[in-house]
Amino acid sequence: MCETFKENILPDIYDGWTKDPENSLSLRAETYCHEEIFEIEKHAIFGKTWQWVCHVEKLASPGSFITTNVRDYPLLICRDLNGKLRAFFNVCKHRGHELLSGEGQNKRITCPYHAWTYNLEGQLIRAPHTENLKNFAIGDVCLESVRVEEFCSFVFVNLDSKAPSLKEQSSTLAEEINFWAPDLANLTFAHRLTYDIKSNWKNVVDNFLECYHCPVAHKDFCTLVNMDTYNVTTHGIWSSHMAEAGKEVNSAYSVSDATVKDHAVWWLWPNTCLMRYPGRGNFIVMHIIPVGVDHTFETYDFFFETDDPNDSELEAIKYIDEVLQAEDISLVESVQRGMSTPAFTQGRIVHDPGGSGKSEHAVHHFHGLVLDSYREWESHER
């Protein structure tokens, strides 16, 4: 990183934001538009936080595995033959080739390059034609491990070996999720939506964390939930967003067979959004994946009572895909374009002490965590 950037830009990114949401500005535009800031975030945020992988059902049986990427690094998560959840860099210790792809079932891990073979505990058990090598012992070679944790029926990984557990960091989040979604462990994956967004990942999070824009941009959504009951509460590394379902017929999707009567949503630092919408038993995970400074990939995974969505659920998926997401993506891409001009530096946080959905205090909370990460990174760089 160039010294000019450190000296002239980095110190200014803390300007304007204060701990008091009633008297604070937002993050500065530089944090959304500078490639150097994005590179810092790879280390300071995504190299140190718990990242969502999948529902635990994908790794329920010994020998099951799934692959993913975190901070550009390929990872492999599996259930070993003794039933223990494990995670490794998906990289062979011989020449660095990726070991597995996709998801499936295996009793061992064999590299497709030179057939070096590992057990599901990461130990090398076979390396062809190495019998005569000097100073080489198969038993000394293990895959590089990564922190992994099961949390609220989901699997998370963390590249930071020293990070506190997700359960420890998130305090009462698991208790709250299990209260509002007691059937979560029994739900099954039913559908995935994917989006390629021309915006910085933080703009996508900002947009998710407030419903100040909902009456203007999401008129159908405002009939699905009772906005007068919408309440947002911030915690250490998460926030909750609760509302009762609307009382009248809504224009979003049918809830005639609904057993879930409330809108319960959680954001987990830094980029995981967990949702329970009115309808039949359901849970939705929105995963916000940074690709570039102005490029974000997003997935919406739907978990229902069955893997075959009923008509109401298909209608809900269509509404989220064709209406709600289309509206939100248009918003965040416009914001990204605006932030990239000389006309915008940072904006005022709108705060309601009552914690309504029309308040931006959860955005302010998120921005504080971002700035804390920058400060921690700087302290280690000195």
Side-chain angles (χ1 to χ4, degrees):
M1 181 169 298
C2 67
E3 290 303 316
T4 301
F5 177 78
K6 281 187 176 181
E7 294 171 2
N8 298 338
I9 296 177
L10 198 55
D12 294 339
I13 64 174
Y14 305 105
D15 291 351
W17 187 92
T18 72
K19 291 185 177 180
D20 179 7
E22 293 187 359
N23 188 35
S24 181
L25 297 178
S26 64
L27 288 176
R28 292 173 61 89
E30 294 98 309
T31 68
Y32 298 82
C33 301
H34 270 283
E35 185 68 43
E36 293 90 343
I37 294 289
F38 181 71
E39 290 302 315
I40 289 173
E41 290 172 348
K42 285 184 181 180
H43 300 273
I45 298 178
F46 294 97
K48 294 182 175 296
T49 53
W50 288 97
Q51 294 293 305
W52 180 83
V53 176
C54 63
H55 192 287
V56 73
E57 70 171 350
K58 284 189 179 292
L59 297 166
S61 60
S64 53
F65 74 88
I66 189 169
T67 60
T68 190
N69 285 276
V70 173
R71 221 205 89 182
D72 302 329
Y73 295 153
L75 303 182
L76 160 64
I77 303 92
C78 66
R79 181 81 63 180
D80 73 20
L81 299 182
N82 294 315
K84 183 176 180 179
L85 197 60
R86 296 182 181 271
F88 308 99
F89 282 92
N90 188 18
V91 176
C92 183
K93 299 296 285 187
H94 174 220
R95 295 272 294 280
H97 197 283
E98 292 185 5
L99 295 162
L100 296 176
S101 60
E103 57 189 73
Q105 194 83 18
N106 265 340
K107 290 184 178 180
R108 59 187 61 85
I109 302 164
T110 300
C111 180
Y113 196 6
H114 299 99
W116 279 36
T117 301
Y118 307 80
N119 62 26
L120 298 184
E121 297 174 9
Q123 178 68 53
L124 182 66
I125 57 176
R126 180 175 179 268
H129 311 299
T130 59
E131 297 84 359
N132 298 319
L133 293 182
K134 295 179 180 179
N135 301 315
F136 178 80
I138 285 178
D140 292 340
V141 180
C142 289
L143 296 178
E144 214 62 39
S145 63
V146 173
R147 294 279 302 284
V148 62
E149 186 173 337
E150 184 177 331
F151 180 83
C152 288
S153 301
F154 293 111
V155 176
F156 289 80
V157 293
N158 194 324
L159 296 175
D160 183 2
S161 62
K162 298 179 180 178
S165 72
L166 180 52
K167 183 178 181 180
E168 179 184 344
Q169 286 189 47
S170 61
S171 181
T172 59
L173 175 59
E175 180 181 336
E176 188 168 306
I177 290 175
N178 288 327
F179 174 81
W180 289 102
D183 57 349
L184 180 53
N186 298 320
L187 298 179
T188 188
F189 175 76
H191 192 73
R192 167 173 279 194
L193 299 173
T194 61
Y195 303 96
D196 201 286
I197 304 172
K198 297 175 183 176
S199 179
N200 184 270
W201 71 276
K202 295 188 297 300
N203 266 328
V204 181
V205 175
D206 288 347
N207 183 72
F208 181 84
L209 288 176
E210 49 91 354
C211 224
Y212 184 34
H213 69 282
C214 292
V216 179
H218 300 316
K219 297 187 184 301
D220 296 311
F221 177 81
C222 290
T223 68
L224 178 65
V225 303
N226 181 353
M227 288 301 297
D228 291 336
T229 67
Y230 205 115
N231 188 262
V232 179
T233 308
T234 61
H235 306 267
I237 62 163
W238 58 284
S239 56
S240 63
H241 307 247
M242 303 292 179
E244 297 175 5
K247 302 300 182 184
E248 308 297 332
V249 175
N250 75 80
S251 56
Y253 61 87
S254 173
V255 292
S256 58
D257 60 349
T259 54
V260 176
K261 303 293 185 181
D262 297 286
H263 168 80
V265 170
W266 302 268
W267 166 78
L268 175 61
W269 163 256
N271 59 326
T272 303
C273 305
L274 308 166
M275 297 172 271
R276 175 95 156 175
Y277 274 21
R280 201 167 62 139
N282 73 91
F283 209 84
I284 307 168
V285 179
M286 173 181 162
H287 193 203
I288 300 164
I289 306 166
V291 178
V293 67
D294 56 0
H295 185 190
T296 300
F297 187 69
E298 185 180 86
T299 60
Y300 255 81
D301 280 20
F302 294 81
F303 302 88
F304 295 137
E305 294 176 11
T306 63
D307 60 5
D308 185 20
N310 65 21
D311 289 344
S312 294
E313 289 161 348
L314 289 172
E315 188 180 349
I317 292 170
K318 183 177 180 180
Y319 161 70
I320 290 172
D321 185 29
E322 298 181 4
V323 180
L324 189 62
Q325 276 296 94
E327 292 167 344
D328 276 333
I329 291 171
S330 177
L331 292 173
V332 299
E333 290 187 341
S334 176
V335 168
Q336 185 69 31
R337 291 193 296 270
M339 285 183 168
S340 302
T341 71
F344 183 84
T345 303
Q346 61 193 140
R348 183 62 186 256
I349 292 292
V350 175
H351 181 248
D352 171 13
S356 76
K358 297 177 184 178
S359 173
E360 295 178 322
H361 60 286
V363 178
H364 173 266
H365 170 243
F366 167 54
H367 291 179
L369 292 172
V370 170
L371 293 175
D372 285 346
S373 295
Y374 295 163
R375 290 188 184 96
E376 184 180 356
W377 177 86
E378 276 196 282
S379 69
H380 289 299
E381 286 292 300
R382 291 193 186 102

